[in-house]
Amino acid sequence: MVERDYLDPNCPVTAACRQAVLRTYASLRGRGADERVAFEAAETVYSWHHPEVPRQRVPFVIADWLP
């Protein structure tokens, strides 16, 4: 796999992984969870869907997806 794939995984807005990440974050925030806790949970969900992406890259992907 090319390094570019790690930096920008091909996950359209309708992708199951992206929807799961956004739903996790929004649900936790909606229930009053701290922003950091919700973000870390979203990272965990993303990593489960994309184990090939280096862990240090995951927060950047998540940050790009959040509104």
Side-chain angles (χ1 to χ4, degrees):
M1 198 174 274
V2 185
E3 185 175 326
R4 174 79 175 132
D5 293 335
Y6 288 130
L7 299 177
D8 187 20
N10 187 16
C11 297
V13 174
T14 57
C17 59
R18 188 172 186 148
Q19 293 301 310
V21 165
L22 295 175
R23 186 173 49 251
T24 297
Y25 183 83
S27 294
L28 288 170
R29 290 294 290 151
R31 290 184 172 102
D34 182 66
E35 183 178 356
R36 186 70 212 156
V37 170
F39 193 88
E40 288 172 356
E43 289 178 314
T44 300
V45 170
Y46 179 83
S47 292
W48 187 84
H49 282 273
H50 290 284
E52 76 281 3
V53 176
R55 189 75 177 141
Q56 65 271 19
R57 181 66 192 138
V58 172
F60 297 101
V61 175
I62 303 302
D64 284 346
W65 288 358
L66 294 178

